[in-house]
Amino acid sequence: MFVIDSIRRNDNSNEALIIVDRERFRVTVHDLEALNIQEGDVVDDDVMEEIVQASERLSCIKKAFEYLSYGDLSEKQLRDKLSKKFNFDLATDVASLLVERGYVNDARLAERYAETFYVFKNMGLKRIRNELYRRGISSDDIENALSKYENEDQSDRIEEFVRKKYDISRLDDVNYRRKVYAGAMRAGFSSSDVCDFLRNFESE
């Protein structure tokens, strides 16, 4: 059995300090209320385990905010980072909690990534899809983020890519054109768009 020596609640920080047999545990105010304990209570092993779990949960939440302070993460990215230090179920619960509270928003993150990759890094749509998928973004969020770019003519973007990466004067060489084609495909441009660009360039 264990004795609750002291409970110090701080509503400003939304945290509480529970001292049990001189051992200190920090928990959220919400978890404190769920524990339904008072100073002087004698608690059994089950309640003690709940206190330990609540303390671990707060540690996980704080670590999540620490990760997010360095930059936005998808729910999956946050969960994967947390699961390296906490058990998977706890990491999953905390990541979901931060989604519910609006601290993690995959749809918004997908739109921001898509704009960065499309406008500033000049990636093709296929590669952007792969990059977003790799970051744990759902298919629906990916397609929504890319929808406004789907019907845009890609010829100018492909020309920009080719002029930046390759010697445009060598495109008359068949082998060099194959190299350019392979590079543009790796950059995520569609085969048909790359072929159209090379064909039109040849006809100029």
Side-chain angles (χ1 to χ4, degrees), residues 173-185:
D173 181 278
V174 174
N175 290 329
Y176 194 74
R177 288 166 71 90
R178 289 173 180 161
K179 180 179 180 180
V180 171
Y181 173 84
M185 291 292 290

Side-chain angles (χ1 to χ4, degrees), residues 65-173:
F65 279 114
E66 178 184 329
Y67 289 143
L68 290 172
S69 71
Y70 295 108
D72 289 333
L73 298 169
S74 69
E75 181 179 3
K76 180 181 182 299
Q77 286 176 314
L78 181 59
R79 184 193 67 211
D80 289 349
K81 282 181 171 290
L82 290 173
S83 63
K84 294 177 181 178
K85 295 182 177 295
F86 303 91
N87 76 64
F88 184 80
D89 288 342
L90 177 57
T92 300
D93 288 345
V94 168
S96 296
L97 174 66
L98 267 61
V99 170
E100 292 172 11
R101 300 288 173 85
Y103 295 104
V104 175
N105 187 318
D106 282 3
R108 186 175 60 215
L109 184 62
E111 290 178 357
R112 191 155 61 249
Y113 272 135
E115 182 179 21
T116 297
F117 293 148
Y118 189 90
V119 177
F120 300 105
K121 295 192 176 182
N122 197 29
M123 292 182 184
L125 295 179
K126 183 176 181 180
R127 182 173 174 189
I128 295 173
R129 282 189 177 88
N130 291 337
E131 291 290 337
L132 296 183
Y133 181 78
R134 186 170 62 82
R135 287 165 170 77
I137 307 295
S138 72
S139 296
D140 286 344
D141 286 337
I142 291 173
E143 294 310 314
N144 288 335
L146 293 180
S147 61
K148 65 180 179 180
Y149 306 117
E150 288 284 358
N151 297 320
E152 288 191 1
D153 182 12
Q154 299 297 304
S155 56
D156 288 344
R157 301 183 69 243
I158 294 173
E159 181 172 355
E160 178 186 346
F161 169 80
V162 173
R163 288 186 180 278
K164 183 176 181 180
K165 298 288 186 181
Y166 299 95
D167 182 353
I168 201 86
S169 68
R170 296 180 60 189
L171 285 182
D172 288 336
D173 181 278

Side-chain angles (χ1 to χ4, degrees), residues 3-103:
V3 177
I4 307 297
D5 297 324
S6 175
I7 297 176
R8 302 172 190 172
R9 173 171 173 157
N10 186 334
D11 289 319
N12 291 328
S13 66
N14 198 36
E15 293 182 15
L17 174 64
I18 305 172
I19 301 177
V20 184
D21 290 345
R22 298 182 180 179
E23 190 172 356
R24 301 160 70 91
F25 301 90
R26 290 195 177 277
V27 304
T28 66
V29 168
H30 177 271
D31 284 340
L32 173 64
E33 292 172 348
L35 286 166
N36 194 29
I37 55 177
Q38 303 291 330
E39 290 185 6
D41 284 355
V42 178
V43 299
D44 58 18
D45 290 344
D46 290 340
V47 174
M48 192 63 220
E49 179 62 24
E50 290 179 12
I51 294 172
V52 171
Q53 290 176 356
S55 180
E56 184 77 352
R57 175 180 167 82
L58 178 56
S59 295
C60 188
I61 291 171
K62 287 184 173 182
K63 180 58 69 172
F65 279 114
E66 178 184 329
Y67 289 143
L68 290 172
S69 71
Y70 295 108
D72 289 333
L73 298 169
S74 69
E75 181 179 3
K76 180 181 182 299
Q77 286 176 314
L78 181 59
R79 184 193 67 211
D80 289 349
K81 282 181 171 290
L82 290 173
S83 63
K84 294 177 181 178
K85 295 182 177 295
F86 303 91
N87 76 64
F88 184 80
D89 288 342
L90 177 57
T92 300
D93 288 345
V94 168
S96 296
L97 174 66
L98 267 61
V99 170
E100 292 172 11
R101 300 288 173 85
Y103 295 104

